[in-house]
Amino acid sequence: METAQRMPIVENFELFERMAEHEQVVLCHDPSTGLRAIIAIHNTTNGPALGGCRMYPYKSFDDAMEDALRLSKGMTYKCAATDVDFGGGKAVIIGDPQTDKSPELFRAFGQFVNSLNGRFYTGTDMGTTMEDFIHASKETNCIVGLPAAYGGGGDSSIPTAAGVLYGIKATNQTLFGSENLGGVSYAIQGLGKVGSKVAIGLLEAGAHLYVTDISEESIKRMEEIALTTPGTLKVVTSEEIYSQEADVFIPCAFGGIVNDQTIEKFKVKAIAGSANNQLLTEHHGKLLQEKGILYAPDYIINSGGLIQVADELYGINHERVLAKTKHIYDSILEVYKMASINGISTVEAANKMCEQRIVNKAKRNGFFTTSLKPKWAFGK
């Protein structure tokens, strides 16, 4: 009797090597809706993983995986920095948000989130909206950032912008010995939901702004608002924004905008804005330090939205959210002080601060098993 030959087994542990710092990566596939998604859980020492879900037409699986792993790790640090009882996670859906969305796709995604039994909470990010997650919330209670009509906290850009203004106050205090926003010049890149609110706050305080945005409508609206405020406004091109002789550069649009090319152009004293992943690499934080430019780590200064969605799970209370958001001022000052004392970049100081907080909590917490139940959960 002839013995069947076994096929050679090719072992490839590259994925495990890439996720060496992560606890869990879940691949989600639903052929009937076209869903292809990755959920990355980085660390749950502080509590269940929390992070948004973005939708983007990634060119490859590797690109999508890299984004999920990088962003989920960033969420661990962000949660530690804001002292919320959550760890870091992130989801990415591979697809074009303009053509590939459907209610069924987000319901399928919600089922995958629900299968994690409370280890991962998610909501909107780039390419997704609150309305998308109304559909996902029909399948799971682990959705945050829903519209107020559906039990959520509503527009998270409000606390995000408030946190950025508190971070700018801390920056001004460090640079000029006064936290006053007025009488200082700022270059703002991006006038979207957050950037526009930051710009309005600064104009009302009597600041001098240089602004740019790809939307002519956003520019025109801001010019009209500036006419009724004590501040001043000048519109510049997207390239000119990097070389303005302003005191503070406020990136509120793209990531990776602090790089070898732009660092050569900067004439500012500080960078403090809402954009995610502003540094192309952490090495660029060191280069800013060498150039004498103070940098407010983005995952701390832009954490007001995170504070709101994390707080939702304990019941909606906007006053409590804004009170917590004020502590961004103290966190930014702590990072600046630590960096100055130790002669390190503010990025290194922020990372060390967050890592120590995680270690401290690990002494009290066991491996996460959830008992957290959202008070607003459907059917409860």
Side-chain angles (χ1 to χ4, degrees):
M1 183 176 180
E2 186 176 349
T3 303
Q5 289 187 328
R6 294 181 63 185
M7 293 292 290
I9 298 175
V10 179
E11 294 183 345
N12 187 343
F13 294 108
E14 180 186 357
L15 179 55
F16 286 100
E17 293 171 1
R18 290 177 65 183
M19 60 174 283
E21 296 183 56
H22 289 67
E23 292 177 5
Q24 185 177 10
V25 173
V26 181
L27 304 184
C28 312
H29 184 217
D30 182 55
S32 65
T33 63
L35 174 70
R36 295 182 298 164
I38 301 169
I39 298 173
I41 296 176
H42 177 256
N43 188 296
T44 57
T45 301
N46 287 359
L50 174 65
C53 172
R54 63 175 47 183
M55 187 172 186
Y56 186 77
Y58 296 97
K59 294 181 180 179
S60 69
F61 172 80
D62 282 348
D63 288 348
M65 179 62 72
E66 182 64 26
D67 214 20
L69 295 177
R70 178 177 55 86
L71 292 168
S72 59
K73 179 179 178 180
M75 286 304 301
T76 294
Y77 285 81
K78 193 168 187 174
C79 288
T82 53
D83 198 28
V84 297
D85 292 329
F86 291 88
K90 204 75 174 184
V92 300
I93 296 175
I94 302 171
D96 188 334
Q98 301 300 319
T99 58
D100 297 333
K101 282 185 180 181
S102 70
E104 294 75 20
L105 182 144
F106 279 92
R107 290 194 71 154
F109 176 72
Q111 291 176 340
F112 281 105
V113 172
N114 199 55
S115 72
L116 292 170
N117 296 315
R119 274 178 57 78
F120 176 61
Y121 285 76
T122 192
T124 62
D125 201 301
M126 183 179 74
T128 61
T129 67
M130 289 190 290
E131 286 69 28
D132 295 329
F133 287 95
I134 292 173
H135 303 297
S137 68
K138 296 174 183 178
E139 304 291 344
T140 180
N141 292 329
C142 298
I143 301 297
V144 293
L146 289 171
Y150 287 83
D155 186 0
S156 63
S157 70
I158 295 173
T160 301
V164 171
L165 289 171
Y166 283 124
I168 294 172
K169 285 185 175 182
T171 301
N172 287 355
Q173 179 65 44
T174 303
L175 288 175
F176 311 119
S178 169
E179 65 178 39
N180 291 339
L181 298 174
V184 179
S185 58
Y186 307 89
I188 304 181
Q189 181 187 51
L191 296 171
K193 289 188 293 184
V194 176
S196 62
K197 293 179 177 64
V198 172
I200 291 169
L202 293 174
L203 285 169
E204 290 176 346
H208 311 295
L209 305 188
Y210 303 92
V211 301
T212 192
D213 195 279
I214 59 175
S215 168
E216 289 295 330
E217 182 179 345
S218 297
I219 291 290
K220 184 177 180 181
R221 177 173 174 270
M222 196 54 57
E223 287 178 319
E224 292 174 351
I225 291 172
L227 294 175
T228 63
T229 68
T232 63
L233 182 143
K234 179 180 179 181
V235 178
V236 300
T237 68
S238 58
E239 284 301 315
E240 291 172 339
I241 197 69
Y242 297 110
S243 56
Q244 296 305 306
E245 293 187 3
D247 294 309
V248 182
F249 177 59
I250 306 176
C252 296
F254 313 106
I257 50 85
V258 179
N259 51 55
D260 291 340
Q261 289 72 42
T262 57
I263 285 177
E264 292 298 317
K265 299 178 182 179
F266 286 135
K267 300 175 183 177
V268 294
K269 299 179 179 69
I271 297 175
S274 68
N276 286 312
N277 303 311
Q278 295 168 26
L279 305 180
L280 186 61
T281 69
E282 288 193 2
H283 172 65
H284 291 98
K286 186 68 175 176
L287 294 181
L288 289 177
Q289 178 198 11
E290 293 172 356
K291 193 170 180 178
I293 297 176
L294 194 61
Y295 174 66
D298 50 53
Y299 65 77
I300 299 180
I301 194 172
N302 69 9
S303 60
L306 169 69
I307 292 170
Q308 174 167 299
V309 298
D311 194 74
E312 277 185 24
L313 295 169
Y314 303 98
I316 307 301
N317 188 316
H318 293 294
E319 185 177 346
R320 183 173 63 207
V321 168
L322 292 177
K324 290 181 178 179
T325 302
K326 287 183 179 180
H327 290 297
I328 291 174
Y329 177 93
D330 302 314
S331 294
I332 293 293
L333 282 182
E334 182 180 351
V335 167
Y336 289 162
K337 182 178 179 180
M338 185 185 301
S340 177
I341 291 173
N342 294 287
I344 58 178
S345 71
T346 55
V347 179
E348 294 172 294
N351 289 348
K352 287 180 183 296
M353 180 184 75
C354 294
E355 289 161 4
Q356 187 58 54
R357 289 182 180 181
I358 294 170
V359 168
N360 292 342
K361 283 200 173 184
K363 295 175 182 177
R364 302 192 303 273
N365 299 349
F367 190 80
F368 166 67
T369 53
T370 183
S371 60
L372 182 63
K373 297 294 184 183
K375 295 181 179 179
W376 49 265
F378 286 99
K380 302 298 182 185

